[in-house]
Amino acid sequence: MAYILFGVSLLLALVVFGANGWARDTEVVLYAVAVAIAIIPEGLVAVVTLTMALGVRSMAKQRALVRKLAAVEALGTITDICSDKTGTLTQAKMVATRVWTPAGDVKVSGVGFSFKKAKFTDLNDEKVAIEGSIADLIRCAALCNNATIAAREDGSISAIGDPTETALQVLAHKADLSKPKLMKKGWKIVQEHVFDSNVKRMTVIARHASSKIKTPKSKRKAATKETEKIAMAEVDDRFVGSWPFLAVLKGAPERVLGCCDFYYQGGEAKPMDKKFQKRFEKKNLELASLGLRVIAIAVRPDDTGELDIDAPREEVEKNMTFLGVVGIYDPPRLESKPAVNTCREAGIIVRMATGDQRPTAAAIAREVGILSADDDPEKGALVMTSTEFDQLDEDAVDDMERLPCVLARCSPETKVRLVEALHRRGRFVAMTGDGVNDAPALRAADVGVAMGQSGSDVAREAADIVLTDDNFSTIVAAVREGRRIFANISKFIVHLMAGNVAEVIALIIGLAFKDGNNRSVYLMSPLQILWLNMVTSSPPALGLGIEPLSKKEMKKPPQVAGLWTWEVLLDLFVYGSSMGALTLGAFTLVLFRFGDGNVGVGCNKHTDDAQILACNTVFRARATAFLFLSLALLLLSIECKHPRRAIWRINWGNNKRLLLIVVIGAAVTIATAYIPVINTNVFVQTGISWEWGIIAIGLVIFLIVVEILKAFKRRFMPKQTGGPGQLCCSKKIR
């Protein structure tokens, strides 16, 4: 666009030179430059930058830090938000509420990090003792864990680490089997295979001080006198199965079960069979359907020394014995469901990507409103696992009637594929992420959103926006601000560009008026042209840039067509051409219809008092044209507050700064025609009297034209209000 305007400005300058017989004196050069400038909205860059900067400040107050300025405008076009579950849609305050072993179910009470009043009961609310396989499972959950629970000076409890591991560590504290206590009793972690999002497992190798199995020299540490005092009699601080040396596996149920050849029940390991697998699958589905994140625990005891702590992960994670699962509940944020509903009204589809299994993901999606209560996650593409989605090639994905609303067991690579699939459907995507591996998806999205609290430095570096509170509702607030900025940019572009069109029409056609020397009589002086651009155009545009959000803005569909819509182009043409024609008409009426028609000689600049008298009619016509166009631009700024609403229905009082700019702009512009010396010597015009009638009539005509156009748009153009008002996947989104 910049190159086009530059080319047009050069063409206009040539037209000025041609109309004046290719004269190259200072007067013609100045006017040629002024006319060339008239087509360029000089204030546009400054107004856009200031508007977006103010938007960035507003978003920062709402806990959304903008790293890339272009993201502010892009938020206004977002059609899909792909959000993580944990910590974004939910509170990341996970609490273990159920424990299941082959021996039976246990319910766990207590919320948050408090474990003083915790109770372990069966499904009949009868108290259960923490012993046997339940104690074994909790010990393993505590050992295969890097979270830390600590007491603050004020007596409250703080946690450092992954929310899932924190919940397991709190469970261990509730059972008085915490990791610090186990360490004091002689347990030590001698090897760790960290959690991998691809295999969805974590493994540690733990050794009790009473173990006879030697640690390799590469891992051996000097024994202290304290550990030498630990006797084999401390079997109660180890495991019921008397396992002093073992590998502990924790992770997704299906991934853990795939590593197990046995399951532990009744104090002994039994071979894994299909009957137990079906029993487990039923229990897993039951817990997951309650919205619980299910974490499976398995162990591989070793009394013979066959377990090599330096062995690769694949060797360690085999021949495991399944212990049971822990059900962890992460309550949704209270503001998540209203935020999802707001997105639906705004025509934005919310999708959830989570590492949880399908039933858990579907249950949480229902709670936050992404899925309705009637949606069946087992039918259609409402809920898919990353494995199911990744098995489809691009053609198969593009042939899907709708893309999944919920992706379970989602991997970072699947997020990238989802963004690419949405882009192929012409969607604009905001993607959240917090891990190192989420960086490609954040870069692929139109707006990448990283978590400020739980996110990695790599994710924050790749993102366009960082949420300081990790809250989904903050994304919606940022979209709301983005829509406000997008709408305001559209408003002041219409205002600025319509003024430029009006100036060009009036000034270029006005070159046809010739004086006694066959030189053009300029409709406006060069300074008047600059005044129009810098005083009566740019400040009102800035006022439009701070226009508050319309109450119905978040009930409109996303503006995927961009800024240069057919409606904007129609506004530019009608507003600009009507102002230009009326400006030219005002000049002509004063000079030829009601004046003496004397165009004089050399009336384009001030020389002496005699010239003022000789050029009085031209000066008055010039003042009339200048004042009309200035006041019309100021009136247009009020009309631009809403692209379709009639001026008498516009809320004038919600932007007092704009009203102040209009009043001050009108006052100082009118003053230029009456202040002695400045009016004739600087602006090359003079004061007017009866000509105000022509200006008033012209403004009324312009107002009528604007209102006719707005009525036409209300009647014949698609309504702007009302998004689809449907759930995530209730319609085809091609």
Side-chain angles (χ1 to χ4, degrees):
M1 179 181 174
Y3 292 112
I4 294 174
L5 291 177
F6 180 70
V8 173
S9 66
L10 291 179
L11 180 61
L12 294 177
L14 292 175
V15 171
V16 173
F17 281 115
N20 288 277
W22 302 102
R24 295 184 296 276
D25 55 68
T26 305
E27 176 187 319
V28 176
V29 171
L30 284 176
Y31 194 71
V33 172
V35 172
I37 290 175
I39 193 61
I40 299 175
E42 301 92 336
L44 182 59
V45 175
V47 172
V48 169
T49 303
L50 285 172
T51 299
M52 296 180 77
L54 292 172
V56 168
R57 186 179 69 173
S58 175
M59 291 169 67
K61 292 179 180 178
Q62 300 179 71
R63 301 183 179 87
L65 304 180
V66 178
R67 297 187 65 253
K68 299 175 184 177
L69 199 59
V72 177
E73 179 187 344
L75 282 168
T77 64
I78 292 301
T79 61
D80 296 74
I81 299 177
C82 302
S83 173
D84 291 329
K85 177 185 78 71
T86 304
T88 307
L89 288 165
T90 62
Q91 300 178 26
K93 295 181 179 178
M94 295 188 178
V95 56
T97 60
R98 294 283 287 274
V99 175
W100 179 84
T101 68
D105 270 291
V106 175
K107 295 193 297 184
V108 185
S109 66
V111 295
F113 299 150
S114 174
F115 31 79
K116 291 184 178 180
K117 298 181 180 180
K119 295 180 180 179
F120 292 81
T121 60
D122 59 21
L123 297 183
N124 295 319
D125 293 329
E126 297 292 333
K127 188 175 181 180
V128 173
I130 307 303
E131 59 186 10
S133 58
I134 295 177
D136 288 346
L137 183 147
I138 295 176
R139 287 190 184 97
C140 285
L143 288 172
C144 190
N145 199 313
N146 289 320
T148 303
I149 307 294
R152 296 192 181 100
E153 294 182 358
D154 59 1
S156 61
I157 305 295
S158 66
I160 301 174
D162 178 78
T164 301
E165 292 196 333
T166 299
L168 294 174
Q169 203 62 260
V170 169
L171 172 67
H173 276 80
K174 290 178 178 179
D176 199 25
L177 296 171
S178 64
K179 186 175 182 178
K181 184 173 182 179
L182 294 175
M183 293 295 186
K184 289 180 180 179
K185 295 296 185 179
W187 281 102
K188 178 168 55 175
I189 305 299
V190 296
Q191 183 61 282
E192 176 181 339
H193 295 284
V194 298
F195 178 81
D196 187 329
S197 60
N198 291 318
V199 299
K200 300 189 181 302
R201 296 190 298 264
M202 172 187 176
T203 304
V204 298
I205 299 177
R207 178 178 181 272
H208 193 267
S210 62
S211 174
K212 301 297 184 180
I213 299 173
K214 300 296 184 181
T215 303
K217 292 183 179 179
S218 60
K219 300 289 182 179
R220 189 181 301 164
K221 294 182 180 179
T224 62
K225 292 182 179 180
E226 183 178 353
T227 58
E228 290 174 351
K229 293 179 181 179
I230 298 176
M232 277 290 291
E234 291 181 322
V235 69
D236 289 341
D237 292 319
R238 295 185 288 128
F239 288 81
V240 173
S242 299
W243 304 327
F245 191 71
L246 47 81
V248 180
L249 175 63
K250 172 191 73 182
E254 68 275 12
R255 300 298 180 92
V256 172
L257 200 66
C259 299
C260 295
D261 295 329
F262 307 93
Y263 66 94
Y264 194 72
Q265 184 176 6
E268 61 178 334
K270 298 181 180 181
M272 184 72 66
D273 53 26
K274 291 184 178 181
K275 182 179 179 181
F276 176 79
Q277 288 179 350
K278 289 182 179 179
R279 177 187 173 196
F280 166 73
E281 288 172 1
K282 182 179 179 181
K283 177 56 65 174
N284 178 42
L285 179 61
E286 175 191 328
L287 296 176
S289 299
L290 298 174
L292 302 181
R293 170 172 287 185
V294 182
I295 304 297
I297 309 292
V299 67
R300 179 182 172 183
D302 181 33
D303 289 322
T304 64
E306 293 180 357
L307 186 60
D308 184 0
I309 65 174
D310 291 322
R313 184 172 196 151
E314 295 75 14
E315 291 296 319
V316 175
E317 295 176 343
K318 68 179 185 179
N319 300 325
M320 288 281 179
T321 300
F322 184 82
L323 290 180
V325 298
V326 178
I328 300 174
Y329 184 63
D330 185 12
R333 293 180 183 269
L334 297 177
E335 56 270 30
S336 290
K337 189 170 185 176
V340 171
N341 290 335
T342 299
C343 288
R344 186 180 309 123
E345 292 175 353
I348 299 172
I349 292 177
V350 180
R351 305 177 190 275
M352 186 176 78
T354 176
D356 289 327
Q357 54 190 321
R358 182 198 294 261
T360 304
I364 296 298
R366 284 196 186 93
E367 288 192 49
V368 299
I370 294 176
L371 298 179
S372 72
D374 298 329
D375 286 330
D376 185 354
E378 300 299 327
K379 293 183 179 180
L382 287 173
V383 183
M384 294 182 70
T385 64
S386 62
T387 302
E388 295 169 342
F389 189 73
D390 291 339
Q391 286 176 347
L392 303 175
D393 58 22
E394 285 190 6
D395 292 336
V397 171
D398 293 340
D399 288 338
M400 294 173 65
E401 182 181 3
R402 54 179 69 89
L403 294 178
C405 308
V406 180
L407 273 175
R409 294 296 188 222
C410 187
S411 65
E413 294 78 11
T414 307
K415 285 186 175 182
V416 176
R417 289 202 70 207
L418 177 61
V419 173
E420 292 173 347
L422 288 167
H423 281 166
R424 291 196 297 273
R425 298 187 179 212
R427 314 289 291 186
F428 293 83
V429 187
M431 172 65 75
T432 70
D434 52 13
V436 173
N437 294 334
D438 288 331
L442 294 175
R443 292 192 182 97
D446 298 281
V447 178
V449 183
M451 304 298 112
Q453 294 180 350
S454 61
S456 64
D457 291 339
V458 175
R460 287 193 288 267
E461 186 67 25
D464 303 299
I465 295 175
V466 177
L467 306 183
T468 60
D469 60 354
D470 295 6
N471 196 330
F472 178 79
S473 65
T474 303
I475 303 176
V476 179
V479 170
R480 184 183 290 109
E481 183 65 20
R483 286 202 174 187
R484 184 190 72 83
I485 293 171
F486 188 91
N488 289 350
I489 290 176
S490 178
K491 293 173 185 177
F492 63 65
I493 280 180
V494 169
H495 179 263
L496 285 171
M497 296 299 291
N500 293 134
V501 171
E503 290 178 50
V504 170
I505 290 175
L507 297 177
I508 294 301
I509 297 177
L511 292 172
F513 301 124
K514 302 288 185 175
D515 64 8
N517 292 334
N518 200 33
R519 302 285 288 272
S520 295
V521 178
Y522 301 153
L523 202 74
M524 296 181 195
S525 67
L527 186 59
Q528 285 176 322
I529 297 172
L530 292 176
W531 183 276
L532 284 169
N533 283 7
M534 304 307 298
V535 177
T536 56
S537 286
S538 296
L542 183 59
L544 287 170
I546 58 176
E547 187 76 9
L549 182 74
S550 168
K551 292 181 179 179
K552 294 185 178 181
E553 196 64 47
M554 287 300 286
K555 297 184 182 297
K556 299 178 183 178
Q559 297 293 329
V560 294
L563 288 170
W564 299 103
T565 62
W566 285 110
E567 181 174 355
V568 168
L569 295 175
L570 179 64
D571 289 346
L572 289 178
F573 175 76
V574 174
Y575 297 160
S577 59
S578 59
M579 283 192 296
L582 289 169
T583 301
L584 190 64
F587 182 86
T588 305
L589 286 173
V590 174
L591 184 58
F592 296 106
R593 178 65 180 83
F594 300 105
D596 55 16
N598 180 21
V599 295
V601 176
C603 294
N604 292 328
K605 61 180 179 179
H606 172 266
T607 55
D608 51 37
D609 293 339
Q611 183 219 27
I612 296 176
L613 293 175
C615 297
N616 183 64
T617 306
V618 174
F619 280 18
R620 295 176 75 92
R622 185 173 290 147
T624 304
F626 171 64
L627 290 173
F628 166 77
L629 186 53
S630 297
L631 295 176
L633 282 170
L634 294 172
L635 177 62
L636 181 61
S637 67
I638 301 296
E639 287 279 15
C640 285
K641 282 171 63 70
H642 197 284
R644 298 188 183 184
R645 188 174 295 168
I647 192 169
W648 53 85
R649 296 186 61 193
I650 290 176
N651 185 356
W652 290 49
N654 67 344
N655 190 351
K656 293 182 174 59
R657 291 185 180 90
L658 176 60
L659 291 179
L660 183 62
I661 289 171
V662 169
V663 172
I664 294 176
V668 296
T669 300
I670 293 171
T672 63
Y674 295 98
I675 299 176
V677 181
I678 289 179
N679 57 356
T680 55
N681 293 19
V682 179
F683 285 86
V684 197
Q685 62 180 358
T686 189
I688 59 175
S689 55
W690 58 267
E691 292 87 351
W692 278 107
I694 294 177
I695 294 175
I697 293 172
L699 291 174
V700 171
I701 294 174
F702 175 64
L703 185 62
I704 292 173
V705 170
V706 173
E707 293 304 327
I708 290 175
L709 177 60
K710 286 189 173 184
F712 171 83
K713 292 191 293 182
R714 290 194 298 269
R715 176 66 178 83
F716 296 103
M717 284 191 168
K719 292 184 178 181
Q720 293 180 316
T721 57
Q726 304 204 13
L727 292 174
C728 173
C729 288
S730 299
K731 62 179 288 187
K732 189 172 181 178
I733 63 170
R734 280 188 188 278

